[in-house]
Amino acid sequence: MSTRAWGVLFVLCGAIFLEGIDVAMLNVALPSIRADLDLTTGELQWVMSAYVLGYGGFMLLGGRAADLFGRRRMFIGWLVVFLLFSGLGGLASEAWMLIAARFITGVAAAFMTPAGLSIITTGFPEGPRRNRALLIYSGTAAAGFSLGLVIGGLLTAVNWRWVFFAPVFLSLVILLAALALLPRTPEERPAERRGVDVAGALTVTGAILLLVVTVERASHTAGVRTAATLAAGLALLAVFVVIERRSATPLVRLGILRSAALVRANLGGLLLAGAFFGFQFIVVLYLQELRGWSTLETSFAMLVLGIDAVLAPTLTPRLVNRYGNVRVILGGLLVAAVAYAAFLPIGPDTAYAAMFPTMLLVGISFALAYGPLTIAATDGIDEAEQGLAGGLLYTSFQFGAALGLSTVTAVNVAATGPGTDGALDGFRAALLVPLGAALLAAAVVATGLRRGNAPGEPVTGQVAEPTGERAVTAS
């Protein structure tokens, strides 16, 4: 790749790394935030839920906005919003200020992330070079989630407000690099007005917001309220489908869902995220609440998960070239199932050496599955809909994470009994959720094996730096 192409990739990887550490660092800082601001349990829950609502609710709209109004413009503009409201979160003195800042930060990420992904999928030629760029990108994202746990622990030890201030400095560096390196294309200069499906945007955003609320609150909200928000979300989703069928300029062209590879990738991504984040949540509870480990000890114990940042750009491309996306994704999901099953015998005094294989295998599985799922969800999609494809994929990831966290929480609470043995029963029951999700994801992905070497599932070719250069576009 040319020097300019590497520069563009550096900027986009920086942004997805920023998004990953922002989420992970906050998870570690929550107890300190509660103590300093004297938050109730409900308020603390909304500090996390506000970001999830903003991110998950507006992701699909953000992806389509990148296609309609320019990917570079959307990326840079919403990066500025992310920077400002991350800083405001660090200045918060009351719960409502922090919750509002997290919601708008989530909205900013929902517009910024699919724009960044679509810059890669439209700027790098489909094939080995794009695959390599996507695998580096996804490895960086995974590293953000893993390293953010450790960085968050270190910053919280100084002051929890640095968990919000640190992303401001990183955002500023990325913003300056983006202004210098992301090329401006003719399509992004003032152009003719495009039709916008306002009704579709409002209904699908409302539907996703209600569905995410349903999932997030299911484990600690009355059944009647859960059923009401679920029914309202499904009703809005039905209205959205009717609108899209009749719209001359639909927000989501429903025909895109005829791509079997795209649907498989989105279902696989939803289940992968649910299993991964559900497992992380249970491990943190086990180590801190049952074993009494500190935040920093827990962070370092899970640091090995970051091996995916090394394997994704090095090993995974070779495996994808040789065996194809479907086989590599399937292998990653089966490795994940083995990892989750290996953690089931945990006891009150289990040595870290016995936990280490599970942590290592989970990191390997994420490296094998996450990047190839991104490739499968965007390959063969028209350039004008790459933002939409990215929005669909990240909506699936976010909704899957919310679903996984809610489900493991509900199972853990229901299965937990008195004493240490009762707590262990709760953890073991909850661990069956990520195990089942990984196996179900493997079954979904395995259906693609019957299709052979379908588009987006290359078997031949080398992921290497070919000679010559191709301009990296940003529109």
Side-chain angles (χ1 to χ4, degrees):
M1 290 189 288
S2 67
T3 302
R4 183 61 174 260
W6 278 112
V8 170
L9 187 57
F10 169 79
V11 169
L12 301 175
C13 285
I16 199 66
F17 180 80
L18 169 69
E19 191 274 327
I21 63 167
D22 181 76
V23 174
M25 289 193 304
L26 181 61
N27 286 337
V28 176
L30 285 176
S32 297
I33 294 173
R34 181 214 281 266
D36 192 24
L37 298 183
D38 193 26
L39 302 185
T40 65
T41 300
E43 289 171 333
L44 193 67
Q45 167 71 23
W46 273 107
V47 171
M48 287 298 297
S49 296
Y51 184 87
V52 172
L53 285 174
Y55 196 178
F58 286 84
M59 180 69 74
L60 197 55
L61 179 58
R64 192 58 181 144
D67 292 331
L68 293 175
F69 304 114
R71 297 175 178 106
R72 182 182 188 272
R73 181 183 294 117
M74 288 292 104
F75 179 84
I76 292 175
W78 286 99
L79 177 58
V80 172
V81 177
F82 189 99
L83 182 158
L84 293 174
F85 280 88
S86 182
L88 288 175
L91 297 174
S93 57
E94 297 183 34
W96 71 267
M97 296 171 62
L98 186 55
I99 291 169
R102 290 304 294 167
F103 177 76
I104 298 176
T105 303
V107 173
F111 281 83
M112 180 178 72
T113 303
L117 176 61
S118 61
I119 289 174
I120 293 178
T121 55
T122 58
F124 290 81
E126 187 170 318
R129 193 185 299 182
R130 182 196 290 181
N131 290 353
R132 186 180 189 192
L134 287 173
L135 292 170
I136 293 172
Y137 181 77
S138 60
T140 307
F145 287 120
S146 304
L147 297 178
L149 294 171
V150 178
I151 297 171
L154 294 172
L155 292 176
T156 303
V158 179
N159 190 303
W160 65 264
R161 295 184 185 276
W162 279 102
V163 167
F164 295 92
F165 294 147
V168 172
F169 295 107
L170 181 55
S171 299
L172 185 58
V173 171
I174 296 169
L175 176 62
L176 295 175
L179 289 170
L181 295 173
L182 295 187
R184 188 185 300 274
T185 62
E187 289 79 7
E188 289 194 272
R189 296 190 178 100
E192 70 281 359
R193 292 182 178 271
R194 299 176 175 89
V196 179
D197 180 13
V198 176
L202 291 175
T203 51
V204 75
T205 301
I208 294 174
L209 283 171
L210 286 170
L211 291 175
V212 173
V213 166
T214 300
V215 170
E216 277 289 303
R217 312 291 288 176
S219 61
H220 46 273
T221 303
V224 174
R225 295 180 65 181
T226 299
T229 55
L230 175 62
L234 293 176
L236 273 181
L237 199 59
V239 173
F240 168 72
V241 171
V242 172
I243 291 172
E244 298 309 278
R245 286 184 179 276
R246 298 178 178 178
S247 175
T249 56
L251 179 72
V252 178
R253 185 181 61 84
L254 298 180
I256 197 173
L257 300 178
R258 295 193 187 103
S259 169
L262 181 143
V263 172
R264 274 198 309 273
N266 278 268
L267 289 175
L270 183 149
L271 293 165
L272 173 71
F276 183 76
F277 287 99
F279 173 76
Q280 276 194 341
F281 180 72
I282 290 301
V283 170
V284 168
L285 288 182
Y286 165 73
L287 293 177
Q288 293 192 12
E289 295 189 354
L290 185 65
R291 302 294 296 274
W293 289 25
S294 69
T295 298
L296 203 55
E297 287 174 324
T298 302
S299 299
F300 278 115
M302 301 179 71
L303 181 60
V304 68
L305 293 174
I307 193 173
D308 50 10
V310 177
L311 297 180
T314 55
L315 175 63
T316 307
R318 298 181 182 182
L319 296 177
V320 168
N321 283 339
R322 183 166 184 178
Y323 300 109
N325 269 337
V326 171
R327 291 180 178 86
V328 175
I329 296 169
L330 180 60
L333 293 170
L334 292 176
V335 169
V338 171
Y340 300 141
F343 207 74
L344 285 173
I346 57 168
D349 301 310
T350 301
Y352 179 69
M355 305 179 210
F356 182 80
T358 288
M359 305 294 187
L360 180 63
L361 288 175
V362 170
I364 292 172
S365 71
F366 210 70
L368 295 178
Y370 184 62
L373 280 169
T374 306
I375 296 172
T378 55
D379 265 10
I381 302 299
D382 187 84
E383 183 172 315
E385 294 184 319
Q386 284 292 332
L388 171 60
L392 286 168
L393 179 65
Y394 282 115
T395 298
S396 297
F397 280 137
Q398 193 66 28
F399 190 73
L403 184 62
L405 288 169
S406 178
T407 306
V408 297
T409 299
V411 172
N412 178 250
V413 170
T416 297
T420 300
D421 289 341
L424 282 173
D425 289 341
F427 291 136
R428 287 171 182 154
L431 284 169
L432 293 174
V433 174
L435 174 59
L439 291 173
L440 181 57
V444 170
V445 170
T447 61
L449 292 175
R450 295 195 298 268
R451 297 181 176 272
N453 187 31
E457 300 163 5
V459 173
T460 59
Q462 298 297 316
V463 178
E465 296 182 20
T467 58
E469 297 183 0
R470 179 182 186 273
V472 176
T473 63
S475 65

